[in-house]
Amino acid sequence: MSGADDRKITDHPESWAVEDTVERFRSPKVAMRTDWVRMPGAGGRPEVVQRDMFVHPGAVAVVALDEAGRVLLLRQYRHAVGHQLWELPAGMRDVDGEPPVRTAQRELLEEAGFRAATWHELAEAFPSPGFSTERVIVYLARNLTEVPAAEIDFERVHEEADMPVEWVPLEEAVQAALNGRLHNASTLIGVLAAQAAVRDGLATLRPALG
């Protein structure tokens, strides 16, 4: 396939006209909204259609890869799905004006106790584009340094109070994803993207901007 053909398969921003909008719910971090959207309709006859949306500030996730080729996973209880899930360090972009890579650095430190000297962007995804505005950016973090707990100004509470940490060989994490043993969307995206990046010698990685 030629380069010109490659560019045809590229997502792009677009916004259809909204005739009306109503906010149904708002909490400190998220909201629910209904838009009435003007759509093309069948036979060229435009129609206005109701669409309910979960308004989310976005999130980040981090594939922390050590020199032995292992990825760091945390186990966390997720009440909405009734599961203990093995996940990448991750978090919502809930600090106004904070660049996403800075959020990722903060989450890696707070949740796992590590800093990384080298950061790249692995993938960007809309986990549930049919009804949610959430956008997740997944980063690759390398050249890791463990930070003593006494130097981390963060208290883990609630679900985060008991999060076991495991260093898993990347290939083992990929097999867990393919065998249906991992379910968190950002984790699936992250470990599979990291495998592809490592296979390509990390030559295709994008710099982490911000």
Side-chain angles (χ1 to χ4, degrees):
M1 180 179 289
S2 70
D5 289 335
D6 288 345
R7 288 191 291 272
K8 290 181 180 178
I9 310 301
T10 302
D11 298 336
H12 65 274
E14 183 167 315
S15 182
W16 291 357
V18 175
E19 301 290 318
D20 195 11
T21 185
V22 174
E23 185 173 85
R24 307 293 189 180
F25 165 82
R26 175 166 293 278
S27 76
K29 293 186 178 181
V30 299
M32 291 294 300
R33 189 179 83 219
T34 299
D35 284 351
W36 282 264
V37 186
R38 180 169 292 277
M39 298 189 178
R45 295 186 298 273
E47 58 181 331
V48 176
V49 179
Q50 177 179 327
R51 289 291 179 263
D52 298 319
M53 292 189 299
F54 176 53
V55 182
H56 190 286
V60 296
V62 182
V63 178
L65 192 66
D66 71 4
E67 294 180 356
R70 301 177 303 169
V71 60
L72 186 151
L73 296 178
L74 309 165
R75 194 185 71 196
Q76 186 168 355
Y77 173 66
R78 294 301 189 182
H79 183 70
V81 295
H83 273 68
Q84 291 271 7
L85 299 180
W86 285 100
E87 305 179 354
L88 302 172
M92 294 176 65
R93 296 183 58 191
D94 53 4
V95 176
D96 288 344
E98 184 174 65
V101 68
R102 175 66 188 116
T103 306
Q105 292 165 348
R106 178 168 53 81
E107 293 292 344
L108 179 61
L109 177 63
E110 293 175 352
E111 290 195 346
F114 282 85
R115 290 193 175 97
T118 306
W119 288 83
H120 288 89
E121 185 175 328
L122 268 179
E124 189 171 349
F126 297 111
S128 301
F131 78 97
S132 174
T133 66
E134 182 181 9
R135 179 193 297 257
V136 179
I137 304 175
V138 184
Y139 291 95
L140 178 66
R142 294 178 296 136
N143 298 315
L144 304 167
T145 302
E146 188 169 8
V147 179
E151 297 180 16
I152 302 173
D153 185 21
F154 179 75
E155 181 183 4
R156 298 176 186 144
V157 297
H158 307 137
E159 295 94 338
E160 296 180 346
D162 179 28
M163 290 196 305
V165 175
E166 291 285 346
W167 284 97
V168 181
L170 179 58
E171 288 301 321
E172 183 179 322
V174 168
Q175 287 304 310
L178 297 177
N179 293 340
R181 292 185 284 123
L182 298 177
H183 298 85
N184 176 272
S186 298
T187 303
L188 295 173
I189 293 168
V191 298
L192 294 174
Q195 181 200 39
V198 169
R199 182 186 60 212
D200 292 341
L202 306 179
T204 58
L205 288 175
R206 291 167 285 169
L209 303 177

